[in-house]
Every structure is written in C-alpha cells, then in structure tokens.
Amino acid sequence: MSSTREIAELYDKFVMETYSQQVALVKGQGARVYDADGNQYIDFTAGIAVQNVGHAHPKVVKAVVEQMATMNHCSNLFYNEKQALLAKKLVEISDLDSGTKCFFCNSGAEANEAMIKLARLWGHLGGKGDDNDGYVEIVTMFNSFHGRMLATLTATGQAKVQEGFEPLPVGFAYADFNDIESVKAAINDSTVAVLLECVQGEGGVIPAETKFMKALRELCDEKEILLLCDEVQCGMGRTGDWFAWQSTGVKPDAFSLAKAIASGIPMGAVVASSKLADVFTPGRHASTFGGNPLACAAALATIGVIEEEGLLDRAAESGDTIREALEKISEDHPGLVTAIRGEGMMVGMALDPDRLEAADVVAKAREYGLLVCKAGGNAIRIVPPLNISDGDLDEGLEMLADAIGELDE
Ligand SMILES: *Cc1c(COP(=O)(O)O)cnc(C)c1O
C-alpha cells in the first residue's frame, strides 16, 4: 500500500487542489481512524459531522452490502420501497404536520438548491395567497454556509465563498444572525423566505438563540413568508435532537438534510410541511441518483442505529463532557479561549487569534493522535461520532488539552 507521501504526490499531479490535506486515511472503525503510514487517531471530525454512528458501523455496512447485491440503483423512473420507507421515517421523526413529504438528492448544496427552487416556485404560484407572482427573494444570514453551487454560494453570506464566481444569481438578501431587527430590515415586498442554519457550522459553531427563532417564526407568519432551516450539519441527532430546530419550539416550513443522513453514502434530502409538500409536480425537479435504494438503505440503517443506541440522549450527555473539558482548558489558559458554544455534540471553541491560530491547534492535535477541524472565527470544531466511547472521548479531550498546552506555554 502507498504511503501518505506517495498518495500526496499523486494528488499534486492529478487532483485539483481545492483542499489542503496532510494525512491519507485508509481505515476507520467507530471513532478511530488509521492512516497510510500506520498511525492511529481518535476522530473528532467524523468526516465533518457525517459519521454520527461511527466509521464502518456493522449495521450500516450490512444494509449497504445487502442492498448493493440486490439493487443499488434503478432511477426515479420507478418506485423503490426503501425511498418510501425513508421518507415515512423522516416525516415521523420531524413531526412537522400531516401532509409533510420529502425529496431526495445527493448532497447538502443540492438539498438547499431544491429548497430554494421550492420556495421560489411557491412564490411564483401565488403562495402568499394572492395572484402576485413576484415573491422570489430569499433572506439568508451573514456568516452562514449553504453550499458551493451557484445558488447556494450566493445564499451563503460570506464574500470569500462568492468572490470570483460572479455573476451571481439574483434573489438573495442578507441579515445579521441572531438579530431580528436586521432580518426585518432585509425583508421587502418580494421576499419569499428566510433561510438559516439553526447552528451555524462553518461560520464558527454558533447556535441560533431560541428567542431569535421564535421571533423569526412570528415574523414569517406575519409576512406570510417561509421559514427554511438548513440542517445539513446540525441535523440527524448531532445536537441531541433529531433536528436542531426541535429544541427551539419553532417549526420551519421546510428543512434540508445531508451530511450524516446516510453515514457517508452521498445523500441529501428536503423535508417539507404540507404548505410546500405538493408544490413540485412531475417535471419540476429531479435527480438521477437522488434517493436510490443504496443511499436509502444506508439512511434507514443509520436512523435505526441512532434509535437503538439512544444516541440523541448520548449526544446531549457527551456534549456536556466536551464542554466541561473545554472549560478546564479555558481556566488553564486565561484569556486564550474567547467562546465555548454549540449544542449537544456540535461544539466550538473560539481562540484569541493573537495567542493561537486554530489551524496550528489542528496540526498539533494531529501529532498527539487526535483529528479535529477548524471553523470560522478562529474556532476549533468538535463533532465526534455520537456513539464514541467515554474512554475515547476522554482520551481525545486530553490530547486536545495537551496540544494546546504545548502551543500556549
Ligand atoms: C456542509 C454543509 C452544506 C453543503 O453540503 P455539501 O454536501 O458539501 O454540498 C450546506 N449547509 C451546511 C450547513 C453545511 O454544513
């Protein structure tokens, strides 16, 4: 087998450099991963909040292998039972309203794109209850992340994601996260929806305040516009609820899913309440791979594991363990940690950039045998598998403390 260096050389020659990797991983089991040079790591990245049930969970492996050998893909020209069963399950666990339905695609960006199309079509079809079809604009939040396709990078309220890709699609406006007055100011006569992450992920692991969510719901109801949630990163049990909006007491009109939904078999989904569930009609939207039997089998198995292993409760408990350990780091290094935030097992620790760069902590932690990732605002993002053992969790947190201790003497 090739070494990390040999693999890196192949990348240099043949793979576009859109990332900057350091390690070649070859195997994963639970919360542990192994690299091409024989090193072992505790994985607090979980494939960026994808492996919520851990790497190579036997139940997911079994479901995928069996489905692959039976029928992995048949196209949406035909019914496939796994897609129907998955949709039913997602509708049940989301508990939006009766008449809720799903659409399946292959990634987070695609799920958001589908949700944007759904909102625009609803607006054009007179969704606000009159025959004006001019309602198309979507208000999103600064510092958000919704994907890298043209519509979704425009929805993403960060200039660095947009620069160089102009002309951008029209129909987006931006507001400050957790600031209802700013959202009010961004809404105008052509607004059709407000779209936000209930916990901003890439932006630095920043939860939406419950009072902000409640005010948004009231505002959207008053203006007769849609409230859309991007649950791509914070969904599927990560925060201790199936979906992060569930802890706010506020229901969106639709929400998107991807990352953890099928344990790494590419899948995205939109779950839409009755208001939007029948807006798409044949020919309005489609995906070749979307909701194929393989991805749906993986998603059904993943949801099954989250239920059987009680991982919603586990995420809440282990989230507390993580926060306690980070508080300790903060106490040991006065002034270094500027914020500890997040929900359940989606935790961010922002550092004073004059003291330590998050990127340097990521690199140093790796030397200690821990994989963590960065997020915006010079934050370390901690998103381990929800079923990581207490032992691995504690060991990983110690490695993080040691790495920071070495850098911030
Ligand atoms: C990762 C992410 C996306 C994009 O998902 P892809 O599968 O990479 O297209 C969208 N929204 C949020 C909140 C994300 O974290």
Side-chain angles (χ1 to χ4, degrees):
M1 195 188 291
S2 308
S3 68
T4 293
R5 205 176 55 81
E6 287 160 345
I7 295 168
E9 280 168 11
L10 285 173
Y11 264 68
D12 280 348
K13 282 208 182 89
F14 301 116
V15 182
M16 288 191 196
E17 204 184 340
T18 57
Y19 312 95
S20 41
Q21 294 98 340
Q22 309 292 331
V23 177
L25 295 180
V26 293
K27 186 175 136 77
Q29 189 66 59
R32 300 228 169 209
V33 291
Y34 304 84
D35 75 13
D37 306 327
N39 300 305
Q40 186 182 144
Y41 305 89
I42 292 175
D43 185 10
F44 278 9
T45 68
I48 315 187
V50 166
Q51 304 290 16
N52 281 10
V53 301
H55 294 271
H57 193 289
K59 291 204 167 147
V60 178
V61 171
K62 183 165 179 286
V64 167
V65 168
E66 279 178 10
Q67 193 60 51
M68 191 71 198
T70 314
M71 169 167 284
N72 71 317
H73 177 84
C74 59
S75 94
N76 287 303
L77 296 173
F78 308 99
Y79 290 127
N80 91 66
E81 187 184 15
K82 290 281 173 358
Q83 185 177 134
L85 293 175
L86 176 59
K88 178 167 183 278
K89 190 74 198 175
L90 289 173
V91 167
E92 282 165 9
I93 61 178
S94 61
D95 191 26
L96 278 179
D97 69 359
S98 82
T100 298
K101 292 182 183 176
C102 302
F103 174 82
F104 295 102
C105 48
N106 315 286
S107 69
E110 264 186 76
N112 287 328
E113 181 90 21
M115 201 156 64
I116 290 165
K117 280 182 70 175
L118 196 55
R120 283 190 178 181
L121 186 57
W122 179 81
H124 281 307
L125 294 175
K128 279 173 61 163
D130 54 38
D131 53 12
N132 183 335
D133 77 350
Y135 305 117
V136 293
E137 195 164 283
I138 299 180
V139 175
T140 69
M141 304 299 137
F142 287 116
N143 201 42
S144 57
F145 185 80
H146 298 297
R148 299 283 188 164
M149 306 299 106
L150 281 170
T152 50
L153 72 82
T154 309
T156 294
Q158 298 191 52
K160 68 167 198 255
V161 173
Q162 300 171 344
E163 271 164 18
F165 301 106
E166 301 82 1
L168 301 179
V170 296
F172 293 91
Y174 309 94
D176 291 327
F177 191 60
N178 279 331
D179 181 347
I180 193 67
E181 294 307 321
S182 171
V183 178
K184 278 182 191 163
I187 289 177
N188 61 45
D189 285 347
S190 71
T191 305
V192 73
V194 176
L195 164 64
L196 81 164
E197 298 155 271
C198 294
V199 183
Q200 287 190 334
E202 305 304 309
V205 192
I206 308 174
E209 290 163 13
T210 297
K211 73 170 196 289
F212 178 62
M213 291 299 293
K214 286 195 191 320
L216 271 182
R217 183 69 270 179
E218 272 175 34
L219 181 64
C220 290
D221 288 344
E222 181 199 317
K223 302 275 181 193
E224 297 180 81
I225 60 178
L226 305 166
L227 179 59
L228 309 174
C229 290
D230 178 343
E231 289 272 338
V232 168
Q233 188 162 158
C234 56
M236 302 310 299
R238 176 58 53 195
T239 62
D241 286 293
W242 280 112
F243 312 112
W245 56 261
Q246 287 174 326
S247 72
T248 68
V250 161
K251 291 185 179 187
D253 296 299
F255 62 97
S256 56
L257 294 169
K259 289 199 164 81
I261 188 172
S263 292
I265 301 289
M267 169 173 267
V270 176
V271 182
S273 70
S274 58
K275 195 186 267 187
L276 293 169
D278 298 312
V279 169
F280 282 156
T281 48
R284 290 294 200 171
H285 198 48
S287 165
T288 297
F289 297 134
N292 79 15
L294 184 73
C296 292
L300 283 164
T302 301
I303 293 171
V305 171
I306 293 173
E307 285 180 329
E308 286 157 26
E309 298 186 5
L311 296 186
L312 301 184
D313 290 342
R314 181 83 190 146
E317 285 162 24
S318 301
D320 290 341
T321 306
I322 295 169
R323 260 174 291 271
E324 278 162 28
L326 299 186
E327 294 292 352
K328 176 79 173 39
I329 291 175
S330 177
E331 280 164 25
D332 291 347
H333 300 267
L336 173 65
V337 177
T338 54
I340 296 167
R341 59 197 173 214
E343 274 172 39
M345 284 179 96
M346 183 172 177
V347 186
M349 175 169 67
L351 303 176
D352 178 352
D354 293 334
R355 285 269 290 274
L356 268 189
E357 288 291 340
D360 294 336
V361 176
V362 170
K364 183 57 75 181
R366 199 165 54 231
E367 288 175 20
Y368 279 83
L370 172 71
L371 301 184
V372 282
C373 49
K374 302 186 291 174
N378 203 39
I380 307 289
R381 178 171 19 169
I382 299 176
V383 285
L386 307 181
N387 57 358
I388 187 172
S389 68
D390 289 337
D392 281 355
L393 187 62
D394 291 342
E395 200 178 326
L397 290 165
E398 268 170 42
M399 288 172 178
L400 181 64
D402 290 347
I404 290 175
E406 189 185 327
L407 290 171
D408 185 67
E409 282 175 297

